[in-house]
Amino acid sequence: AVAVIDGTSTARVATGRELAHEATAHGRPGALATFATALARAVRHDRTVPGEILEILRTEAAAGARTGDPDCLVAASRAFRRQGLVDDAQRLLDAARDSGAPDVAREADRVLTDRFAGQLMAMPEEDAPAAVLDLCVPTLGDRAIVGIADRDGGVRRLEMQPAARPDDPEAFSPVLRAECDRAIREKQFRLWGSGDRAAAICPLMAGDEVRGALVMLGMEEDFDAARVALVREVASRAAIAMENAQLYTAVQEADRRKNEFLAMLAHEL
């Protein structure tokens, strides 16, 4: 089944699929996972994969994933991501949420950051902070705070999810605010803890300039090395997305002014 796979030939892939199903029927339960893994690797670097082959991969990768084969899960997810099919990768990994395999967990983090970046592309500047918060909570922590800096180094905009209450000691903690100020001033990530709570404080950088900070809060035990690495990656993507959002807003404003000028010119003529 693996030998006949050609990532550009629907007929050859269909033949391999039939052989894998035949092997499964004859007592080889891992045949579909092996076939799906080989197919995923064959199409991973091909940008022009026929839709019929991708549909076969969806079906057989899902069947292979039910066996809990981590190689199948990771290979298929990577292939979907390379094809720009992040939703397919997400559905596949969601079906194997309890796999426990380290490679699967790392791939799930990559899918999350790809989805994060995709959803923030071409977004107006005023919508970007709220979108970041929606994507972060509850996936990365139980509370997220985004602060956008002004030109003088102060904070011109502060948003958090869930919204703070007047009697909310954590959201308005002077110690946490001091840690955030230090992270922004030093342009360095900081991991702050108090009791059983922790905060990952990530400056949002645009080149050498600090545009703000993303603060993820949660239980201290949840902020292991893998979670911290993921938060930092998400913050990096968020900074890029916010910079793009600012540029997108500027382009829209320029287009608006151009259209107004052309309309006025046409009226005068």
Side-chain angles (χ1 to χ4, degrees):
V2 172
V4 300
I5 288 177
D6 180 337
T8 60
S9 170
T10 304
R12 289 175 67 89
V13 170
T15 299
R17 181 190 203 181
E18 291 174 5
L19 291 170
H21 276 275
E22 185 175 343
T24 302
H26 285 79
R28 296 291 298 274
L32 284 176
T34 302
F35 167 77
T37 302
L39 177 58
R41 289 171 177 165
V43 304
R44 179 179 172 188
H45 298 294
D46 192 341
R47 292 290 187 180
T48 57
V49 180
E52 296 90 339
I53 292 180
L54 288 174
E55 188 56 39
I56 289 174
L57 179 59
R58 285 189 188 95
T59 302
E60 304 311 333
R66 286 193 287 271
T67 69
D69 187 313
D71 289 339
C72 175
L73 288 166
V74 172
S77 176
R78 287 175 177 171
F80 286 135
R81 286 195 297 112
R82 291 285 294 184
Q83 298 296 323
L85 303 171
V86 180
D87 287 344
D88 283 297
Q90 186 69 64
R91 280 191 290 270
L92 183 65
L93 294 172
D94 283 347
R97 189 180 300 275
D98 299 326
S99 166
D103 287 348
V104 175
R106 283 192 290 270
E107 178 61 20
D109 289 347
R110 295 187 184 101
V111 171
L112 176 65
T113 53
D114 282 359
R115 175 184 290 277
F116 186 93
Q119 291 183 2
L120 290 178
M121 288 295 289
M123 179 173 291
E125 183 180 8
E126 62 273 14
D127 296 338
V132 170
L133 296 176
D134 286 341
L135 289 166
C136 287
V137 178
T139 305
L140 299 178
D142 54 40
R143 164 168 277 166
I145 303 173
V146 172
I148 306 301
D150 60 21
R151 293 182 179 180
D152 298 324
V155 176
R156 67 175 175 85
R157 184 175 177 183
L158 185 69
E159 294 192 21
M160 64 182 69
Q161 185 172 308
R165 304 180 306 275
D167 60 344
D168 193 336
E170 183 176 67
F172 300 103
S173 165
V175 178
L176 178 57
R177 291 201 170 211
E179 289 292 325
C180 292
D181 289 343
R182 181 177 175 184
I184 292 173
R185 185 173 61 253
E186 297 178 355
K187 302 180 182 180
Q188 294 289 331
F189 167 83
R190 294 189 64 78
L191 184 61
W192 170 79
S194 177
D196 59 355
R197 299 288 289 171
I201 307 168
C202 307
L204 300 175
M205 305 295 297
D208 292 330
E209 295 184 14
V210 179
R211 294 298 175 86
L214 170 65
V215 183
M216 289 303 312
L217 295 109
M219 301 304 293
E220 187 176 29
E221 62 188 22
D222 294 333
F223 283 88
D224 56 14
R227 174 63 59 84
V228 168
L230 180 57
V231 170
R232 297 184 71 169
E233 175 65 19
V234 166
S236 176
R237 300 285 188 105
I240 294 171
M242 288 183 176
E243 181 72 6
N244 289 342
Q246 189 175 45
L247 294 174
Y248 178 75
T249 300
V251 168
Q252 285 190 316
E253 177 63 17
D255 282 345
R256 186 187 66 78
R257 292 182 179 182
K258 181 189 71 175
N259 291 336
E260 287 180 352
F261 171 76
L262 291 176
M264 181 181 66
L265 183 62
H267 177 73
E268 293 297 327
L269 292 175

